[in-house]
Structures are given as C-alpha cells and as structure tokens.
Amino acid sequence: QVQLVESGGGLVQPGGSLRLSCAASGRAFFTYAAGWFRQAPGKEREFVAASNWSGTNTYYADSVKGRFTISRDNGKNTVYLQMSSLKPEDTAVYYCAATPIGSTRSQNPSVFDYWGQGIQVTVSS
C-alpha cells in the first residue's frame, strides 16, 4: 500500500509563493502517475495538476495554469507543487494523490487510488 505525506503548506500573502511536497513510500512509486487536488470548505474536491510517471507529461487545471508547476524527483519518491502568484481563491486543503496507472489525463479524483492526509494552504492578507 502506497503512503503519501504532504508538507510545505501554510499561510501566505496574495501574490506570494509556496512549495508543497508529497513524500511517497514504496519502490514502485516511480511508475505511478501522481497528482494534486484541493478542497475548499463546502466544495467538492477539484483537480489541480497531474504528472505521468516520469514527469515528462503534466496537466493543469485552467485556474492554475501559468502559476503552478508540478514536478517529481523519483529518486527521492517525492512530488512537488510549486505555487506562485497565489490568490485568495487558492485557499484550500491540498491533497497529493497517486495511481498505479503510469499515465492518465483524467481529472476525476476516483481514478487516483492513494491519497495523502491533506495540508492547508491559506492565502490571505
């Protein structure tokens, strides 16, 4: 069973930046597609970004394109989400997710089999 742990969240000013990390267990994680989702209070969990197993193919929600970057270091079993030009509407609990499928273009959370516990990101002045 894959275990995912997010870190790097916190409180930032609008226009600021933050880097989230997702540390994964298991030797086979480098073969998994990985993604980031977020959920604000009273709203459904929404897709943010995803990467294929190698990090060569990445996909983003329109709301974060040009501001967020997903990357991964398979040697460290870690996936990152670099967030820049943060807006108050980016405030949410952010979740790291993974699927044994090596590459998927799906933005449906149900496609991802493994999830971290979530980490709070708050963008406020």
Side-chain angles (χ1 to χ4, degrees):
Q1 186 173 350
V2 173
Q3 308 245 331
L4 306 173
V5 180
E6 302 96 336
S7 62
L11 174 65
V12 296
Q13 296 278 334
S17 63
L18 203 62
R19 189 193 196 193
L20 303 182
S21 298
C22 173
S25 66
R27 296 182 186 178
F29 180 72
F30 71 93
T31 69
Y32 288 23
W36 290 93
F37 293 77
R38 65 188 183 187
Q39 188 167 22
K43 297 184 178 180
E44 293 186 347
R45 191 167 298 185
E46 66 174 346
F47 171 80
V48 175
S51 171
N52 74 330
W53 68 272
S54 67
T56 57
N57 292 325
T58 57
Y59 307 92
Y60 299 92
D62 288 342
S63 60
V64 306
K65 284 182 179 178
R67 299 190 298 119
F68 290 13
T69 301
I70 186 171
S71 61
R72 64 194 299 166
D73 184 340
N74 285 333
K76 297 180 179 179
N77 271 8
T78 301
V79 180
Y80 304 97
L81 185 68
Q82 178 66 51
M83 303 182 291
S84 300
S85 301
L86 284 162
K87 306 174 181 179
E89 51 262 47
D90 294 318
T91 296
V93 175
Y94 283 70
Y95 296 88
C96 179
T99 172
I101 299 172
S103 180
T104 179
R105 301 174 74 95
S106 177
Q107 299 180 12
N108 189 340
S110 66
V111 171
F112 292 82
D113 301 297
Y114 305 103
W115 294 83
Q117 81 286 354
I119 190 164
Q120 180 71 43
V121 172
T122 301
V123 185
S124 177
S125 60

